[in-house]
Amino acid sequence: MPFLILALIGLAVGVTTVLFGFGGGFVTVPVITIADLALGDDAVRVATATSALVMLVNAVVATVSTRREVLSRLSGRWALFALLAAGGAIGAGVARVAPDAIIRWGFVVYIGATIVDLVVRPGFLRPAPATKTVVAGSGPGATATTTVVAGTGPSAAGLPTWLGLPIGSVAAFLGVGGSVMTVPLMRRAGSPMPIATSLANPLTLAIVAPALAVSLLLRGAVPPTPGLVGSVDVLAAVALLLGSIPVVVLLRRRPPRIPDGVHAWSYVALLAAAGITVAAAG
């Protein structure tokens, strides 16, 4: 695929980074899979590795551009970040030797299952049932249940610490960056889409940094090929980043105002488009 075309596609990568917290994974994997079809069964493996580089740079730019008061919602969550990083390294290592079909169709099935979950279960596209406080009895001995307010407590972002390892592992293995898991969790915990997608970028950064290191150091099943460093298509990554970084900076400075419901449905539509593209490329 020509360098200029990839740079233009990078504009879409920048938009998804800011609006959906994807860091580019759900655009990069399908695009690189198509761009490197000449690699045959190794195309999707190279796509997931290249996706890690694109997501890393975009996630850094997006995180640095995010307001401090938003990032403060993740303060003190070092154990979560450590588990995300460990999972990222594990997932990337396994992806280097896993059969192409498992990665490709794992990506498609995972997206399909996620879309069904987002549409069927309340809390993402439609509000979850409100928690009610029930008072038992009356007088001095009366008791009441405690109403849990979303977005408070030790899992303030809606992300239990123990989920860091499985989220990081699956995200790095499929090359998706983790936002497809973290954004729905945070939204169901009470975060509006702009907050959930903004917080997805530093979480993605924790996953893709070790994943990229593994991808650069381990070629795995990918044979030596001009233009590849480890399993990463560096030239394609550079083209996508040239298009995406200016968009990330611009949209962070002038964020578009999108109705929350429209924002959520657009998230689901993008997931569907990515899954269909990867399935068709197979």
Side-chain angles (χ1 to χ4, degrees):
M1 188 176 292
F3 188 91
L4 179 58
I5 298 299
L6 286 172
L8 292 175
I9 293 173
L11 300 177
V13 173
V15 172
T16 64
T17 299
V18 175
L19 297 187
F20 305 105
F22 289 156
F26 280 97
V27 176
T28 303
V29 171
V31 168
I32 300 300
T33 298
I34 294 172
D36 288 329
L37 278 178
L39 295 176
D41 289 345
D42 293 317
V44 74
R45 188 175 292 105
V46 170
T48 59
T50 306
S51 172
L53 175 56
V54 175
M55 285 189 292
L56 175 68
V57 177
N58 281 330
V60 168
V61 175
T63 299
V64 170
S65 305
T66 300
R67 300 193 313 273
R68 301 303 102 182
E69 60 268 26
V70 173
L71 294 176
S72 67
R73 298 179 182 225
L74 292 173
S75 63
R77 302 300 306 277
W78 299 114
L80 172 63
F81 280 101
L83 288 176
L84 288 169
I90 293 169
V94 174
R96 300 287 68 77
V97 296
D100 164 78
I102 292 180
I103 301 174
R104 182 189 304 274
W105 293 108
F107 184 97
V108 174
V109 170
Y110 177 67
I111 289 180
T114 300
I115 292 172
V116 171
D117 176 69
L118 297 182
V119 171
V120 172
R121 279 209 303 152
F124 189 84
L125 295 175
R126 61 186 188 278
T131 304
K132 296 181 179 179
T133 302
V134 180
V135 179
S138 59
T143 60
T145 60
T146 301
T147 301
V148 178
V149 179
T152 62
S155 298
L159 296 170
T161 299
W162 67 270
L163 281 178
L165 190 63
I167 287 175
S169 299
V170 173
F173 180 76
L174 299 177
V176 297
S179 59
V180 73
M181 287 177 273
T182 59
V183 170
L185 284 170
M186 289 187 283
R187 182 160 171 79
R188 286 189 168 118
S191 296
M193 283 296 290
I195 297 297
T197 54
S198 293
L199 293 178
N201 285 303
L203 297 170
T204 292
L205 182 57
I207 297 170
V208 299
L212 177 61
V214 170
S215 298
L216 290 171
L217 294 173
L218 300 179
R219 184 177 298 276
V222 180
T225 305
L228 296 186
V229 176
S231 301
V232 177
D233 186 337
V234 177
L235 187 62
V238 169
L240 290 168
L241 288 169
L242 285 176
S244 65
I245 290 176
V247 176
V248 172
V249 174
L250 176 63
L251 292 183
R252 272 287 182 255
R253 291 181 177 178
R254 298 178 178 275
R257 295 182 179 181
I258 303 174
D260 201 60
V262 174
H263 201 164
W265 274 106
S266 300
Y267 182 98
V268 174
L270 184 58
L271 292 183
I276 292 170
T277 302
V278 172

